[in-house]
Structure formats: structure tokens, C-alpha cells
Amino acid sequence: MESNSGASMTGITVVRKKLQGYVGFANLPNQVHRKSVKEGFQFTCMVVGESGLGKSTLVNTLFNAQLYPPKESSELTHESPQTVEIQSITADIEENGVKLRLTVVDTPGFGDFVNNEQSWKPILDDIELRFDAYLEQENRVNRRRMVDNRIHACLYFIMPTGHALKPLDIEFMRRLHTRVNLIPVIAKADTLTEEEVAAFKQRILADINYHKIQIYQAPTYEYDDQETIEENREIMAKIPFAIVGSDREFEVEGGLRVRGRKYPWGIIQVDNEDHCDFVKLRQMLIRTHMEELKEHTNDVLYENYRTEKLLAMGIQQDPSVFKEVNPMQKMEEERIAHEQKLARMEAEMRAIFQAKVNEKETKLRQSEEELYARHKEMKEALEKQRIDLEEKKRRLESGRPMTPEKIKKKGFSFNK
């Protein structure tokens, strides 16, 4: 048995020993493989972009399955939605005995309105709601069946203008880059020449760097071989991916059928790396970095959100000891806050009640004054009529006739 001793960076002595015979723990990766194949995999991908950029077609092309049914043209009506919607499609697909539960989250309506200032907000709210749902599951007593519906990757479709990112593109990525793995793609890249695509990519990356937007970067590991390192470098060099999506097949020379788009001058082949970056996108998203995307979502994006959430809830942590707020103190603070809130509500209700009482009293006082004035007026009128009648009575008793004017006025007549 041979042994080599060395000191690590932490000062701990590491002894490496060579086994004299077969033990068996080299078979651990096979055990993990069998368990993973048995349980299956799950992946949630979000696609964001304006209408007509080929999001549904690209998803169908990526997974070689009809996840999105063919769209039927529909007339616009006044009942069309006025906000960004969140729609999910889940499908169980299988390849060579490996099962994958794929969920695609679509965002119809994004960027399709006159005012798109808040188009990013429903999408951000949906991502954070999924984080909250996972955090709630972690806090349960029984955590054996946890469902992970967090967004693991977001394909952001950029319109092939050939100029630069639009303000809507910048605002969306700036708001969401700390919550999701952003993967920018140039949609319908066959509308641009190779030179235009290269220049457009440089402008996009310049805008991303200027606004300090973090897009997904493939991780590197210590034991990666040179071939893997070079493969990752080639994939990262293609970002943003210039892609062409199509699920239609055409026959080319030699009788080979390929997926692509047919033009009068030829066929753009989707799976040809000389024509577009679709192969590199599929390689990163599915073949080589799907687990890395899920790990980065869990270990970095979700952990950062979880830390912010727990700190906002009053849970504190220092480098050595996990400190939690005293539950009794927290309950007492909540009780005091609740009592203060009730006191404020009671004061407001009393003020409203007093204002209504004062208003009613004012109206009653005005009505009383009006009635008193009318009573006084009627009393004075009756008093005047009484005086007039007494005057008439006195004249009648004294035998003096009334003047003709008064007789005519009162309607009396006497015979002399």
C-alpha cells in the first residue's frame, strides 16, 4: 500500500492511499445513474418574447415533439387580454428509457401593447411565486414529496432588427437577471446575413455589459478534460444564439431529409451549424447543461431569494451561529402592532361617527330654526287677524258702518 501526504490550503493533512484490491465504491456513479433513470427528470423552461418570433416553433424543434399545437388565425376582438398572461404546458417525453417531465411556460401578450412599461412585472411575480411555493414546501414538517416548479431557464427572444437591444429588452433582462437563468436568443436569424448577425451579437453583448446584466454562463470544473472545456467555450462564444426554428422537413441532395425553411434560393437547415446556432443552443439547454441550469437555479438564484425573504421575515444569521428571533418577543411585537392598528381603526371610526353626528345635529338645528321662524310668522299673522276682527266687532257694536273700501274688500253689504 502506497501513501502520499500533502497539506491542503486549510492546513489539514490529506493522506492518499492506493487500494490493494477492489472495494466497490467506484460503482457509486452507476447507482446514481440507476436511481435517476428510475425517478426520471424534470425541467421547467420559460419562453419570453413578442408575438410572431417563433417561440412555439422553437420549443417544438428543440424537443422534437409537438408540444404546441398548430396555431389558428383568429380575429382581434375587444375582449382580447390587456395584460401579459402566464400559460404552462407540461408533457412527459421519453428517449432511450430516460423520462423527462418538461414544463414550458409561455407569456403571450408580452411586448404587444401600446404601453409595455410594466410587461415584465407579471413574469417576475410568477417566478417569485414559484420560489415562494418551494420555500413553503421546505418549511413543512413532512417534506418527502416536494414539487419543484421553479423556472430553470428563460429563453428571451430578441427581434432581429440588426441594430441593438430595445428599451423593453433591456428593462426585462435588468429586472429578471437575478431571478432566472437568462439565455438571450436572436429569433428568425435567417432574416439577417452572417455579417449582420455577427455585428448584432456584438451590440447585444455590449448593451448587456453596459447595463451589468448577468446572463447564464456555463460553469467550469477542476476535473474537466480539455475536450469538455473547449466544447463549453464554443457554446458560450455563440451567445446570444442566432436561431432558426422549423418542424418541417425537406429533402436535400442525396435523399436526406432535414428540418428547415425553404426559400427560392435554397434551404436553411435547422440542424446545420453553418446555418444557425440551433445545435449549440440545444446542446447547452438539453445535452450538456440541463443539470447545471437546475443547480444554478437552486444553489444561487433561489438561495439569494430565500435569504432576502427570510431576512425580511425577521430571521437573522451570522457567520458562525444561526440566530432566530425570539418567538415570544415576535408574538408580543405582533400583538402590540395589532393593538395599535385596532386603536387607529377605532379612532378613525370615532372621528367618522362624530363627523356624521355633527352633520346631523347641524341639519336638525337648521330645521328647528326654520320651523321656529315659520311658527313665529304664523303667530304674528294670526295675531294681526285677531286684532282686525276685534276692530270690526267694535265698530259693529258702536253702529259705525265700515268704509266702502273695506266693505268691498271684505265682501260685506248693509241695507240702510
Side-chain angles (χ1 to χ4, degrees):
M1 178 182 295
E2 298 178 359
S3 63
N4 296 321
S5 299
S8 66
M9 296 179 62
T10 59
I12 301 175
T13 302
V14 179
V15 179
R16 295 185 175 87
K17 296 185 177 182
K18 185 176 180 181
L19 302 177
Q20 295 180 346
Y22 178 75
V23 176
F25 58 80
N27 196 44
L28 287 174
N30 295 332
Q31 298 179 30
V32 175
H33 173 74
R34 288 197 303 270
K35 179 181 177 182
S36 301
V37 171
K38 179 182 178 181
E39 295 179 351
F41 300 86
Q42 62 178 8
F43 187 73
T44 304
C45 178
M46 174 179 280
V47 290
V48 182
E50 300 177 29
S51 299
L53 294 182
K55 301 187 293 293
S56 305
T57 303
L58 178 65
V59 171
N60 291 341
T61 310
L62 274 172
F63 295 94
N64 200 19
Q66 198 70 18
L67 299 176
Y68 282 90
K71 292 185 177 180
E72 298 179 357
S73 58
S74 59
E75 297 181 358
L76 293 177
T77 63
H78 295 289
E79 298 179 357
S80 300
Q82 299 300 316
T83 57
V84 178
E85 297 181 13
I86 306 295
Q87 299 178 354
S88 298
I89 297 177
T90 301
D92 293 324
I93 54 182
E94 184 175 347
E95 181 183 35
N96 295 333
V98 178
K99 298 178 182 179
L100 172 66
R101 168 157 287 189
L102 174 67
T103 301
V104 179
V105 181
D106 198 359
T107 56
F110 176 82
D112 296 340
F113 308 110
V114 176
N115 185 1
N116 294 301
E117 290 183 359
Q118 299 292 323
S119 292
W120 52 269
K121 196 173 187 308
I123 302 174
L124 178 62
D125 292 343
D126 180 75
I127 294 174
E128 292 185 346
L129 281 175
R130 294 169 183 266
F131 280 165
D132 290 336
Y134 194 82
L135 178 60
E136 190 271 335
Q137 291 181 91
E138 283 188 333
N139 294 331
R140 291 178 183 173
V141 176
N142 188 349
R143 304 188 302 175
R144 285 180 295 181
R145 293 185 178 181
M146 295 180 61
V147 179
D148 184 9
N149 65 346
R150 295 171 295 181
I151 305 296
H152 301 126
C154 175
L155 296 179
Y156 184 72
F157 286 69
I158 301 171
M159 185 175 292
T161 60
H163 302 296
L165 290 176
K166 297 190 297 183
L168 176 62
D169 302 328
I170 295 173
E171 185 66 13
F172 174 84
M173 290 193 284
R174 191 175 66 83
R175 295 280 186 174
L176 270 76
H177 71 106
T178 59
R179 294 290 184 261
V180 70
N181 293 313
L182 278 177
I183 303 176
V185 297
I186 302 173
K188 296 187 175 181
D190 51 338
T191 60
L192 303 174
T193 63
E194 293 184 6
E195 294 77 11
E196 290 173 339
V197 169
F200 193 27
K201 285 187 175 184
Q202 291 180 358
R203 296 190 191 100
I204 291 174
L205 292 176
D207 286 341
I208 289 175
N209 293 330
Y210 178 79
H211 293 280
K212 298 180 180 179
I213 298 171
Q214 302 173 8
I215 59 176
Y216 176 73
Q217 297 291 330
T220 56
Y221 300 101
E222 180 181 359
Y223 297 104
D224 284 345
D225 53 27
Q226 190 61 33
E227 182 180 355
T228 303
I229 296 175
E230 186 62 29
E231 183 181 28
N232 289 338
R233 187 180 295 114
E234 291 179 1
I235 292 175
M236 292 298 105
K238 294 293 184 180
I239 295 179
F241 297 98
I243 49 102
V244 177
S246 176
D247 50 7
R248 298 182 60 185
E249 292 186 351
F250 299 94
E251 187 173 340
V252 295
E253 296 180 1
L256 181 65
R257 297 190 64 82
V258 297
R259 295 183 300 178
R261 301 178 66 88
K262 189 174 182 180
Y263 293 94
W265 43 263
I267 297 176
I268 293 287
Q269 299 181 22
V270 172
D271 300 290
N272 190 333
E273 294 189 38
D274 295 331
H275 292 183
C276 67
D277 300 332
F278 172 79
V279 174
K280 293 298 183 185
L281 173 62
R282 181 181 60 189
Q283 188 173 353
M284 184 194 77
L285 195 63
I286 302 175
R287 296 182 179 177
T288 59
H289 292 86
M290 179 178 284
E291 285 301 311
E292 277 78 2
L293 286 165
K294 295 172 65 175
E295 288 179 2
H296 189 264
T297 299
N298 183 73
D299 299 342
V300 179
L301 302 175
Y302 171 71
E303 280 300 318
N304 292 339
Y305 177 81
R306 179 177 176 272
T307 301
E308 296 174 7
K309 192 78 173 180
L310 294 180
L311 288 176
M313 293 170 61
I315 300 177
Q316 303 175 355
Q317 181 178 359
D318 63 18
S320 58
V321 181
F322 181 81
K323 294 182 179 179
E324 191 168 329
V325 175
N326 186 350
M328 298 303 296
Q329 180 182 357
K330 188 71 174 177
M331 290 177 62
E332 182 66 18
E333 293 176 355
E334 292 178 354
R335 185 187 64 80
I336 295 174
H338 184 65
E339 290 180 353
Q340 292 175 350
K341 182 179 179 181
L342 289 177
R344 288 194 302 268
M345 292 176 63
E346 183 179 359
E348 292 175 357
M349 292 177 66
R350 287 192 177 188
I352 295 173
F353 177 76
Q354 188 63 38
K356 290 186 177 181
V357 169
N358 294 337
E359 182 182 358
K360 194 69 175 178
E361 288 180 348
T362 303
K363 290 183 179 180
L364 290 174
R365 194 178 300 111
Q366 292 176 353
S367 299
E368 183 180 1
E369 292 176 355
E370 291 176 358
L371 288 173
Y372 179 76
R374 289 175 60 187
H375 174 71
K376 183 178 180 182
E377 183 180 353
M378 292 176 64
K379 185 176 181 181
E380 291 176 353
L382 290 173
E383 182 66 19
K384 185 177 180 181
Q385 289 181 7
R386 186 185 64 80
I387 295 173
D388 291 343
L389 289 173
E390 287 182 353
E391 179 68 20
K392 290 177 184 178
K393 179 180 178 182
R394 187 169 57 253
R395 287 184 179 183
L396 288 173
E397 291 176 349
S398 63
R400 291 183 299 175
M402 296 181 67
T403 60
E405 292 80 3
K406 292 183 177 181
I407 294 173
K408 184 177 181 180
K409 181 177 181 182
K410 297 300 180 177
F412 293 102
S413 62
F414 298 93
N415 296 325
K416 293 182 180 181

